[in-house]
């Protein structure tokens, strides 16, 4: 009997079935939801947690290793950036005194009177920069996949709870990014205006606050330190 690491089993399961999360998530009657799949993985691994071997070990070609310390630092740095965004919300979602804009930017900003008669532009899409939705270099780019890979590092007693937090994180991060996009077009839409933009920005901030809380919880499950707020990508 050959031993199979718990991490390889769960990760190979996710690799083999994970694509159905995004492709089939709207077909509730015939396919598992993403959250249901995570729960299914938890249930399936119960026997492995109770025994140290399985008859048919996972083939190496399907195995994915748990994240390195360097990779896990992405979660810490990403959380530091999200915290920085919340601490500097107005400054990061507004630009004053910018004279040149592209056509796309003109459509996606809200002009307000700035101090000293200047022009300030609300820039809701900046939120996406901090949530990992604009650059592959961002620490939080596809962070939920990194979190799932890190699942074997979590105390088995907290495993299902951890996966629930990861799922909620993904949902809130998606909602925050979507609200930021919606806010960016608020004035351009019919019946839109500055007040609509402000309402969307308030809702966006609420989602980002929830995202930060869940990301902090993930760090706790993985025994990772919370870093001071920072704007840096490195």
């Amino acid at each position: 009997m050959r031993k199979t690491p718990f991490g390889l089993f769960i990760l190979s399961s996710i690799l083999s079935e994970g694509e159905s999360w995004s492709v089939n998530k709207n077909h509730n009657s015939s396919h598992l939801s993403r959250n249901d799949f995570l729960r299914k993985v938890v249930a399936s691994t119960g026997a492995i947690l109770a025994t140290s071997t399985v008859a048919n070990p996972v083939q190496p070609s399907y195995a994915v290793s748990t994240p390195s310390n360097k990779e896990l630092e992405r979660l810490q740095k990403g959380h530091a950036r999200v915290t920085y965004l919340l601490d500097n919300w107005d400054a990061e979602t507004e630009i004053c005194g910018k004279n040149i804009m592209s056509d796309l930017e003109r459509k996606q900003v809200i002009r307000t009177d700035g101090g000293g008669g200047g022009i300030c532009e609300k820039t809701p899409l900046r939120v996406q920069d901090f949530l990992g939705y604009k650059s592959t270099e961002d620490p939080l780019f596809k962070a939920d996949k990194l979190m799932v890979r890190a699942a074997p590092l979590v105390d088995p007693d907290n495993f299902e709870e951890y996966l629930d937090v990861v799922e909620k994180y993904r949902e809130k991060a998606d909602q925050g990014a979507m609200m930021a996009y919606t806010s960016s077009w608020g004035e351009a839409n019919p019946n839109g205006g500055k007040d609509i933009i402000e309402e969307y920005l308030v809702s966006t901030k609420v989602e980002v606050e929830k995202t930060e809380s869940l990301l902090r919880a993930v760090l706790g499950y993985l025994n990772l330190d919370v870093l001071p707020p920072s704007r840096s990508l490195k």
Side-chain angles (χ1 to χ4, degrees):
M1 300 278 279
R2 182 180 174 185
K3 292 184 178 180
T4 297
F6 168 68
L8 299 187
F9 174 81
I10 181 174
L11 294 172
S12 63
S13 298
I14 290 170
L15 285 176
S16 63
E17 298 192 42
E19 290 301 319
S20 64
W21 291 340
S22 58
V23 175
N24 300 316
K25 63 183 178 181
N26 294 323
H27 301 286
N28 295 328
S29 61
S30 58
H31 295 90
L32 289 174
S33 69
R34 183 184 177 104
N35 196 43
D36 286 340
F37 173 69
L38 291 177
R39 292 180 180 279
K40 177 184 175 184
V41 171
V42 172
S44 298
T45 56
I48 294 180
L49 288 175
T51 61
S52 60
T53 61
V54 291
N56 298 306
V58 178
Q59 295 300 316
S61 60
Y62 294 102
V64 178
S65 63
T66 53
S68 65
N69 290 337
K70 184 72 173 178
E71 289 178 291
L72 291 175
E73 284 180 4
R74 287 175 45 198
L75 300 178
Q76 295 172 284
K77 293 176 180 178
H79 176 263
R81 278 174 49 79
V82 173
T83 303
Y84 179 90
L85 170 63
L86 290 172
D87 289 348
N88 300 273
W89 185 263
D90 290 337
E92 289 296 332
T93 59
E94 183 176 82
I95 296 178
C96 296
K98 184 179 179 183
N99 297 321
I100 301 176
M101 290 186 293
S102 68
D103 290 339
L104 178 61
E105 288 176 318
R106 291 181 187 279
K107 295 176 182 178
Q108 295 181 329
V109 299
I110 305 85
R111 294 168 177 251
T112 58
D113 292 333
I119 297 295
C120 291
E121 305 156 359
K122 292 292 185 183
T123 55
L125 289 180
R126 281 289 292 146
V127 173
Q128 294 185 352
D129 291 339
F130 286 85
L131 295 180
Y133 287 80
K134 297 291 286 291
S135 171
T136 58
E137 300 300 318
D138 191 284
L140 293 181
F141 179 70
K142 295 186 177 180
D144 59 324
K145 292 185 178 181
L146 174 59
M147 293 173 185
V148 172
R149 285 180 54 211
L153 302 176
V154 176
D155 185 328
D157 291 339
N158 298 325
F159 187 75
E160 183 173 4
E161 193 175 282
Y162 170 78
L163 289 181
D164 280 339
V165 170
V166 171
E167 171 63 10
K168 290 175 182 176
Y169 162 80
R170 184 194 64 81
E171 291 175 352
K172 290 303 174 184
D174 282 352
Q175 289 173 10
M178 181 58 68
M179 286 299 299
Y181 179 80
T182 302
S183 179
S184 71
W185 287 97
E187 192 172 33
N189 290 332
N191 302 318
K194 295 177 182 178
D195 56 335
I196 300 300
I197 293 296
E198 293 295 341
E199 288 180 15
Y200 281 133
L201 270 177
V202 169
S203 297
T204 301
K205 188 175 182 181
V206 170
E207 297 302 323
V208 175
E209 289 172 339
K210 293 177 180 177
T211 300
E212 183 278 328
S213 179
L214 291 164
L215 185 50
R216 181 185 291 266
V218 168
L219 296 182
Y221 282 111
L222 296 173
N223 296 315
L224 297 173
D225 293 335
V226 173
L227 303 180
S230 174
R231 196 171 186 267
S232 175
L233 284 169
K234 299 181 180 179

